[in-house]
Every structure is written in structure tokens, then in C-alpha cells.
Amino acid sequence: MQSLEKSPDFSRQVQSMFGAVAPKYDFLNGLLSAGRDRYWRKKAVNLLAPKSGGRYLDVATGTADIAIEMARRNPAELTVMGIDFSGPMLEMGKRKVRTNHLESSIFLQMGSGEHLPFADNSFHGVTCAFGIRNFSDAQAGLNEMFRVLKDKGKVIILEFSQPTNPVFGSMYSLYFNFLLPQVGRKISRHNSAYDYLPESVSKFPTRTDFQHLMESAGFTSVTFRDLTFGIVTLYLGCKNA
Ligand SMILES: C[S@@+](CC[C@H](N)C(=O)[O-])C[C@H]1O[C@@H](n2cnc3c(N)ncnc32)[C@H](O)[C@@H]1O
């Protein structure tokens, strides 16, 4: 990926990049986060607190880790729809859904986060983990999440952040901006996907700016909290609660 400017081509480039790294995506997630990625997703699902009989949507589901984490807690009674615009990422996700015997709870489909193919007010909760940073139009994505959420439903968004502690921040920056892209390049055999990761995080809105984007979409009681020294931030918003 040459540029991070959100050109008309941006979504197509992101889609093709995730398509290319899909086979190594889970392995690299675990390796590059030293296993913390699983903890972050568990925290997101804890905050969502999915209920029996509920219908949930995981936007930019990728290889379906959040959907699986949700469904594992209540496999018989929960429905989780996962949507993503990368076919190869979804294929990896479908394999994991089958391995975990969760086919009766999790349904994965192709689609764009900026144009969700669901009716208004159709989900009790919506999640999006490490997805919205890659949208060509984050505001449109948030507007769509708000539209498909039922009243009193919650949206949970997990996204990378810049650590606030300057000492930790400068050590982390060395890792995130220099070491991680090299390891990512070697293992994924993709030239730019793991350069794109720190670049896209550096261009993502600050916590409070993103909170304002969520509020502009209509979410109320929007809060956020940092995880793992502020490497990642967990955002919560409510609809008409
Ligand atoms: C970093 S991965 C995150 C996957 C998963 N949520 C996780 O926690 O591992 C980002 C995913 O977002 C998807 N994505 C990015 N932009 C999208 C968009 N506009 N619509 C749908 N999916 C999108 C990519 O295809 C990719 O699978």
C-alpha cells in the first residue's frame, strides 16, 4: 500500500492487503502482541455481556475471533453475524467456526462496514475490533453501526491507540514502528501490510476525537478505557439508553 490517503482506491487496497495476509493473520496477531490480542477481545466481549437469545453483529470480523468468543459463552442461544469485505479472511474464520462446532450460532458473510446489509434496529449489540481504522469512511461505519443497533443496545469498539506514558511510549514506538514491520514482512511475505499497521494507527483519531465521532453517529454515554498501557483502547457507546 503506497499511501494512506483515503483515495477512492483505499478500500480496494485494504481489501486486497487483508486477502494476502489472511493465512498468516492469526499467527502474526498472537506473535506480535505476545498473546495480548486474545485478552483484548475477551475484555471487549465482557463489556458487551451478550445475553441468551440475543442477536449480535461483529463488523470487520476478519477471522471471526470476536464472534467465536461471543458464541462460546452461550452457543445454543446466541446468534452472531460476522461481516467483512475480505473473502480470504472470512474463509479462515469459517474454518475456525467449524472447528469450534459453532455453525449453528455464527454466520459469516461478505459485506462493507460502510453499507451494512441489515435492517434498522436489528441487533442487541455490535462489535468492531481493529476494523474501523481501516475504513475509508469511519463516520459512515459508525453511522451504520448505530442504525442497525436496537434501542438500549451497545456498541463496543476495540482499536489501537498511542500509549500516553512517554517512557513506555518511546520504547513501544521502537518496537511498533521498526521491529514489528520487519517481522510482519518476513512472516506474511507481504511488502507493506505491517508498515501500514503503525502508519494507520498514527493517523487514527485520538481517543477523544474518536469519542466525538461516536457521539456524532448518535451514540450516548460514550466512554473509553485503555488496555495494556494504552496500546489499545476499548470504546463503549449506547443507543437511546
Ligand atoms: C485488522 S483486521 C481485524 C479482524 C478481526 N476483527 C480481529 O479482531 O482480528 C481488519 C479487518 O477489517 C476488514 N475491513 C476493513 N475495512 C472494511 C470495510 N470497510 N468493510 C468491511 N470489512 C472491512 C478487513 O478485511 C479485515 O478483515
Side-chain angles (χ1 to χ4, degrees), residues 18 25 41 60-62 84-86 89 111-114 129-130 134-135:
F18 280 105
Y25 176 81
R41 293 193 192 85
T61 193
D84 199 286
F85 69 8
S86 166
M89 290 289 276
S112 156
E114 286 106 333
F130 309 110
N134 305 295
F135 282 24

Side-chain angles (χ1 to χ4, degrees), residues 89-100:
M89 290 289 276
L90 287 176
E91 274 316 307
M92 301 301 292
K94 283 178 185 163
R95 253 190 245 174
K96 282 156 62 180
V97 169
R98 282 194 294 273
T99 309
N100 286 278

Side-chain angles (χ1 to χ4, degrees), residues 52-79:
S52 286
R55 208 175 127 74
Y56 295 89
L57 172 66
D58 185 34
V59 178
T61 193
T63 61
D65 278 336
I66 286 263
I68 290 170
E69 182 63 35
M70 271 193 246
R72 261 197 196 136
R73 299 186 183 198
N74 213 335
E77 298 168 80
L78 211 71
T79 301

